[in-house]
Amino acid sequence: PANALYVVGPTSSNTGPTIESTFAGSAGGLYLYNNNATDGNTIKLNFDINANGPSRNTYASVAGGRASNVDGFLTFSTVISGAVGERARIDSTGNFGIGDTSPAALLTVGNGDLFQVNSSGAITAVTSITASGVIAANGGITFDASTDTIGAHTLSGTVDANANILTNIGNAGTDFVASTGALTLAGV
């Protein structure tokens, strides 16, 4: 074959070729090497099917790449409708992006960092979060009065604040007022 290394596994077994090391330490292993040290270059492990010698189709790949002289990244790609596309990435800081090639948080979903979870577990969403069940906010919900607004809401059933104090609701004295007791509506 034209390839520098071409390994064909057994044809009558469920096991493929094996690369084995008897080295007792943590070094060693299988190395894939790209001798072009340009930022953004990768080396891939392709998953091919329909193999008859060199005639095959790639359906998925994992690639390691160079982000800079001291940083690297790992990508996961699949094929859909004949086109290869990156589906997930782990960047040099450990951020994991699903559908995002430059994840801004520990977990990022969607191109443009649409949904993020940071290392503390805080969630940021560019658009609304929709739930078909209960959303529990045991630590409370905080709104920044200078940037956040709450539109009209319809509440049905029981609203229980567990004797907590609701503050800064509307215009005090004209819209409604909250206290430690019952919620008093004023100016309605």
Side-chain angles (χ1 to χ4, degrees), residues 168-187:
N168 298 324
I169 300 176
N171 296 314
T174 59
D175 292 333
F176 41 101
V177 177
S179 67
T180 57
L183 180 64
T184 303
L185 299 179

Side-chain angles (χ1 to χ4, degrees), residues 118-135:
N118 70 17
S119 60
S120 300
I123 297 173
T124 302
V126 173
T127 60
S128 63
I129 296 175
T130 303
S132 58
V134 174
I135 296 177

Side-chain angles (χ1 to χ4, degrees), residues 54-118:
S55 175
R56 59 188 174 265
N57 296 321
T58 299
Y59 290 94
S61 65
V62 176
R66 174 187 161 130
S68 71
N69 189 40
V70 294
D71 296 323
F73 59 88
L74 188 63
T75 64
F76 302 86
S77 299
T78 61
V79 173
I80 186 166
S81 300
V84 176
E86 182 179 317
R87 308 298 178 216
R89 174 181 292 243
I90 301 173
D91 71 9
S92 61
T93 64
N95 291 345
F96 183 69
I98 300 172
D100 191 331
T101 59
S102 56
L106 188 61
L107 172 65
T108 302
V109 180
N111 191 17
D113 306 315
L114 299 177
F115 179 87
Q116 301 174 31
V117 179
N118 70 17

Side-chain angles (χ1 to χ4, degrees), residues 137-165:
N138 297 329
I141 299 174
T142 303
F143 295 97
D144 181 344
S146 66
T147 59
D148 298 335
T149 59
I150 300 174
H153 295 324
T154 301
L155 302 174
S156 61
T158 302
V159 177
D160 185 358
N162 287 326
N164 290 310
I165 299 173

